[in-house]
């Protein structure tokens, strides 16, 4: 016990805080993911093919909660530079949506490669850091990508009173997918 008193107070505080946080981390942060899947073929398939869904998950120790993850994304985001070529899509009701194609020079892709369609969040646009990182990662493995911008999002004109509605308005997305299929039929 005499050794403990020989340690400066700020190191004692650090040691006690570290031990307390470690206990808190293992009790409250480390847990198995919650899955809500009915018993059946799909569940048994997941159990055999994705065993990590049924093991304990260890989040990053310095960022364990959903609120802290949201804050850390704000402070630690990386934004690679990506240029786009915008293609507007005329919608059936007179509205306008857009497809933002990353510009890559020279064009290294064949027309038969799969295309990953990225859709930003409700208030998102093509310069969101998570989309920029997705695009650069997809390019690194040789895949094409395109970002679908809903009406009024990311500088797309809002020509009709109808704005983005992710639940009811699937026709806009269907038209965008059809445009991609027209451009790259294979």
């Amino acid at each position: 016990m005499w050794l403990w008193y020989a340690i400066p107070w700020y190191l004692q505080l650090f040691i006690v805080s570290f031990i307390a946080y470690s206990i808190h981390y293992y009790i409250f942060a480390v847990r198995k993911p919650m899955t809500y899947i009915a018993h059946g073929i799909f569940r048994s398939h997941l159990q055999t093919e994705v065993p990590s869904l049924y093991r304990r998950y260890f989040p990053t120790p310095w960022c364990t909660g959903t609120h802290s993850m949201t804050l850390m994304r704000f402070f630690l985001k990386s934004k690679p530079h990506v240029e786009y070529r915008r293609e507007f899509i005329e919608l059936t009701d007179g509205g306008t949506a857009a497809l933002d194609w990353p510009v890559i020079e020279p064009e290294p892709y064949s027309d038969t490669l799969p295309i990953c369609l990225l859709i930003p969040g409700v208030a998102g646009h093509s310069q969101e850091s998570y989309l920029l990182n997705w695009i650069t990662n997809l390019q690194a493995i040789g895949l094409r990508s395109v970002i679908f911008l809903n009406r009024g999002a990311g500088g797309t004109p809002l020509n009709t009173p109808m704005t983005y509605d992710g639940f009811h308005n699937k026709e806009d997305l269907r038209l965008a997918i059809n445009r991609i299929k027209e451009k790259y039929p294979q």
Side-chain angles (χ1 to χ4, degrees), residues 152-168:
T156 306
L158 188 58
N159 303 337
T160 60
M162 184 171 174
T163 59
Y164 167 68
D165 179 3
F167 184 71
H168 292 100

Side-chain angles (χ1 to χ4, degrees), residues 50-62:
V50 191
S52 61
L53 281 176
Y54 301 95
R55 290 191 297 236
R56 291 188 336 164
Y57 171 69
F58 290 81
T60 307
W62 50 268

Side-chain angles (χ1 to χ4, degrees), residues 46-149:
L46 281 180
Q47 288 173 331
T48 57
E49 297 298 323
V50 191
S52 61
L53 281 176
Y54 301 95
R55 290 191 297 236
R56 291 188 336 164
Y57 171 69
F58 290 81
T60 307
W62 50 268
C63 191
T64 59
T66 54
H67 300 302
S68 59
M69 289 178 190
T70 301
L71 288 173
M72 293 314 288
R73 181 193 170 277
F74 176 75
F75 292 114
L76 299 177
K77 62 184 168 189
S78 66
K79 290 186 86 168
H81 178 70
V82 176
E83 291 183 33
Y84 297 102
R85 185 182 74 253
R86 181 163 286 183
E87 177 182 353
F88 290 105
I89 301 170
E90 193 68 32
L91 304 172
T92 53
D93 66 348
T96 304
L99 292 172
D100 277 355
W101 296 90
V103 176
I104 301 152
E105 298 293 338
E107 185 73 31
Y109 306 119
S110 73
D111 287 347
T112 59
L113 281 179
I115 299 172
C116 183
L117 176 62
L118 303 173
I119 304 172
V122 174
H125 52 83
S126 299
Q127 294 300 321
E128 293 284 349
S129 62
Y130 66 93
L131 290 172
L132 296 171
N133 283 295
W134 263 103
I135 289 170
T136 54
N137 290 333
L138 289 168
Q139 286 175 356
I141 60 174
L143 295 177
R144 285 184 291 188
S145 58
V146 62
I147 297 176
F148 171 66
L149 294 172

Side-chain angles (χ1 to χ4, degrees), residues 14-33:
F14 175 77
I15 292 168
V16 169
S17 298
F18 180 79
I19 291 170
Y21 183 76
S22 297
I23 292 168
H24 169 78
Y25 176 78
Y26 281 101
I27 291 174
F28 295 107
V30 176
R31 60 177 71 153
K32 289 182 183 178

